[in-house]
Amino acid sequence: MKGKNTQKNRTRSHQRLIRFNDEENDYINTKVEASPFNNFQNFARILLITGEVHFTDYSELKSLNYEVNRIGNNINQLAKLAHEFQEISPADIQQLQSKMTDLTALVSEQLKQVKKEERRL
């Protein structure tokens, strides 16, 4: 009974069946994993409808995000030392931390936006 109810609620009611040999299946699985889609169904549907699937390499943006976070950690360590030895004014530390927070948010937002746009294609 459960299967019949879910069939009625589906927005995509037409199913296509396709078969692959082991080599083809491995190749397609590699393509799906490298794509922005989380499963074969989404990958295949977009590919069949639009005729293409766009791949974006996020490694540089992820690396940038990682480095920005490391810089933020260094600033926090410097701020701690500055407080200990009282060689920098609290206002200067606050300004530096604020700029670092803004930079981190900017990089994170840019990465999210690029990924979001990729999923729309």
Side-chain angles (χ1 to χ4, degrees), residues 58 111-121:
Y58 297 113
L111 182 60
K112 286 178 189 176
Q113 189 168 348
V114 168
K115 285 184 175 182
K116 190 176 183 180
E117 288 172 9
E118 172 88 4
R119 289 187 182 126
R120 282 190 210 151
L121 299 176

Side-chain angles (χ1 to χ4, degrees), residues 99-111:
K99 287 184 185 257
M100 190 62 219
T101 301
D102 293 345
L103 179 61
T104 302
L106 181 65
V107 170
S108 291
E109 184 59 36
Q110 198 67 19
L111 182 60

Side-chain angles (χ1 to χ4, degrees), residues 2-15:
K2 185 176 181 182
K4 290 182 181 181
N5 282 340
T6 56
Q7 291 290 10
K8 290 179 184 177
N9 296 331
R10 290 180 190 243
T11 58
R12 294 183 179 96
S13 59
H14 301 283
Q15 179 180 358

Side-chain angles (χ1 to χ4, degrees), residues 27-44 46-47 52-58 62 115 118-119 121:
Y27 177 77
I28 289 170
N29 285 338
T30 302
K31 291 288 192 180
V32 171
E33 288 173 12
S35 78
F37 303 104
N38 56 358
N39 60 39
F40 172 75
Q41 178 180 329
N42 293 335
F43 176 85
I46 296 301
L47 181 61
E52 60 186 345
V53 174
H54 298 276
F55 296 92
T56 303
D57 180 16
Y58 297 113
K62 287 180 180 178
K115 285 184 175 182
E118 172 88 4
R119 289 187 182 126
L121 299 176

Side-chain angles (χ1 to χ4, degrees), residues 74-117:
N74 290 342
I75 288 172
N76 288 336
Q77 289 172 0
L78 290 172
K80 183 178 178 184
L81 288 173
H83 279 298
E84 274 182 39
F85 298 107
Q86 297 180 352
E87 297 204 9
I88 291 181
S89 72
D92 289 341
I93 293 170
Q94 182 61 36
Q95 182 182 12
L96 191 57
Q97 287 176 325
S98 176
K99 287 184 185 257
M100 190 62 219
T101 301
D102 293 345
L103 179 61
T104 302
L106 181 65
V107 170
S108 291
E109 184 59 36
Q110 198 67 19
L111 182 60
K112 286 178 189 176
Q113 189 168 348
V114 168
K115 285 184 175 182
K116 190 176 183 180
E117 288 172 9

